Amino acid sequence: MIFEELNLGHWKYHNQSPVNHARQYMHSPKRSIALVGAGVIGMPILRALLSSPNHPNVIVLTRPGSKNKDLLNDLPPVSPIVIPVDYTDTSALTALFKKLSIEIVISALASTGYNAQYNLADAAKASGSVKLFVPSEWGSPTEGAKDKGEDNIFAIKDRVAEYLKSIDLPYTRFFTGLFMAYVPWVVGADVDGKAHIQGKGDTPFTVTSQEDIGGFVAHVLTSLPLTSPELVNTSLRIQGQQITLRQYAQVANKSIVAVTENEAIPGNTDEDKALKAFLQKHIEEGTATTGWDHRTEREIEGATGSANKMWEGHVWQTIERTF
């Protein structure tokens, strides 16, 4: 992709189309969305937004020098404006959101960028144009993790949501369960083709494909009013399917290797091994469904996948269909 560069104030707009495209964007009546991050989940969301029949205007905010720009070649014909930004510069972010009349900010930042969401939230609030903020959840539910005193990734995410509440910035949290494509990685099949399972491996957990996550997000954020009670200050719990690790091994025709707590699940780095062990413990304890509630420490009746009905007629992907 060949990008043209346009300097406007604090920012550089990168886009395939002429300068007029950016100017037309500023005056378009279409819904205006800023997607922060174009990685593992950001790209599926971006593809779905660009393919939406409601045709929202989309800008992508990335870190200067981000390698993810190369991924933008694999997109629908309509290309977004890509803007490298300093996530620590709240004033510049505020001016940017205001200049482009951004209505929705979607954070698809990875764990290393979670803290940047506080600056993004402050800028969104100060802009006066942003009506909805989507924090980077994209996994198991996190509500109540902070209040329960947990010291993990769930509490980190929950603190961001609590901050949004504190500044009175409307938000929508998307709880999706484990990315379907990551199940082989969780069991170490990426290393030796086998399913290494700690514990019994017969506890159901939620998996959802990244494509379905992107499609659902694009659907609800472009078809519902931004003041809808289905969006404002809510948690949307979706689910592609429930499966156990043993069921995955059977469907994928992987031999099972029992792993004790003192043994490592195969991984390419120590960080990989630790994360796989954490996720398998999370699954084994029954806390990895999208209906889980940290406050009561049990699954909320009827909550798992409860938001699926908002995408009427959609057929959700399952692991069985991928093999």
Side-chain angles (χ1 to χ4, degrees):
M1 180 179 284
I2 300 174
F3 292 94
E4 293 183 3
E5 186 169 279
L6 166 65
N7 288 308
L8 288 180
H10 296 285
W11 325 287
K12 294 179 180 178
Y13 290 77
H14 294 265
N15 195 42
Q16 253 183 329
S17 55
V19 168
N20 288 342
H21 184 81
R23 291 180 180 144
Q24 290 169 0
Y25 177 100
M26 296 179 201
H27 303 288
S28 172
K30 298 177 183 178
R31 188 158 292 179
S32 300
I33 300 173
L35 175 66
V36 187
V40 169
I41 192 59
M43 284 303 296
I45 293 172
L46 177 59
R47 290 190 188 98
L49 287 170
L50 296 179
S51 301
S52 169
N54 296 307
H55 307 297
N57 285 317
V58 183
I59 66 168
V60 180
L61 305 186
T62 65
R63 291 174 291 101
S66 171
K67 296 179 181 179
N68 289 332
K69 280 190 239 176
D70 295 336
L71 299 175
L72 297 176
N73 289 303
D74 183 25
L75 287 174
V78 179
S79 297
I81 300 174
V82 181
I83 309 177
V85 296
D86 178 358
Y87 296 146
T88 67
D89 193 339
T90 305
S91 296
L93 288 168
T94 301
L96 173 62
F97 292 153
K98 184 180 297 185
K99 183 86 172 179
L100 296 182
S101 300
I102 296 299
E103 298 170 286
I104 304 173
V105 175
I106 303 173
S107 173
L109 292 172
S111 57
T112 54
Y114 286 162
N115 285 338
Q117 294 179 105
Y118 293 98
N119 292 331
L120 288 163
D122 287 340
K125 180 68 176 179
S127 71
S129 65
V130 176
K131 300 178 177 63
L132 196 68
F133 192 100
V134 177
S136 190
E137 294 278 355
W138 320 120
S140 295
T142 62
E143 286 181 345
K146 179 185 75 69
D147 291 342
K148 292 290 288 188
E150 296 182 29
D151 184 21
N152 52 33
I153 192 66
F154 306 126
I156 291 172
K157 291 179 178 181
D158 196 32
R159 280 195 285 271
V160 173
E162 289 295 320
Y163 184 73
L164 297 175
K165 292 180 187 177
S166 73
I167 63 173
D168 197 25
L169 180 61
Y171 62 86
T172 308
R173 299 164 82 170
F174 289 88
F175 298 146
T176 65
L178 187 69
F179 296 161
M180 192 173 289
Y182 277 35
V183 178
W185 179 87
V186 170
V187 297
D190 59 313
V191 176
D192 62 7
K194 299 177 182 179
H196 300 259
I197 299 176
Q198 287 185 340
K200 296 179 180 179
D202 58 6
T203 305
F205 63 101
T206 295
V207 291
T208 310
S209 74
Q210 288 143 280
E211 182 181 349
D212 277 345
I213 294 169
F216 178 81
V217 170
H219 173 68
V220 298
L221 292 185
T222 63
S223 64
L224 293 174
L226 294 184
T227 56
S228 169
E230 293 182 286
L231 289 181
V232 175
N233 300 341
T234 61
S235 296
L236 300 183
R237 302 166 185 262
I238 63 175
Q239 176 174 265
Q241 74 176 126
Q242 276 198 11
I243 196 168
T244 70
L245 291 179
R246 286 189 173 274
Q247 287 171 342
Y248 159 74
Q250 183 178 12
V251 170
N253 196 26
K254 305 290 185 186
S255 59
I256 295 175
V257 179
V259 180
T260 68
E261 288 189 14
N262 296 324
E263 293 179 295
I265 300 165
N268 294 317
T269 66
D270 289 341
E271 184 180 17
D272 269 5
K273 295 174 184 177
L275 183 53
K276 291 177 181 183
F278 171 79
L279 290 173
Q280 286 213 25
K281 184 174 185 291
H282 176 47
I283 290 169
E284 183 72 11
E285 292 176 345
T287 61
T289 71
T290 51
W292 183 255
D293 182 64
H294 289 262
R295 297 185 183 92
T296 61
E297 297 184 348
R298 63 174 180 266
E299 192 167 348
I300 302 169
E301 185 176 355
T304 301
S306 57
N308 284 27
K309 63 181 180 290
M310 296 172 66
W311 200 4
E312 188 176 352
H314 178 68
V315 178
W316 297 77
Q317 293 185 25
T318 63
I319 282 181
E320 289 83 357
R321 294 196 187 105
T322 65
F323 293 97

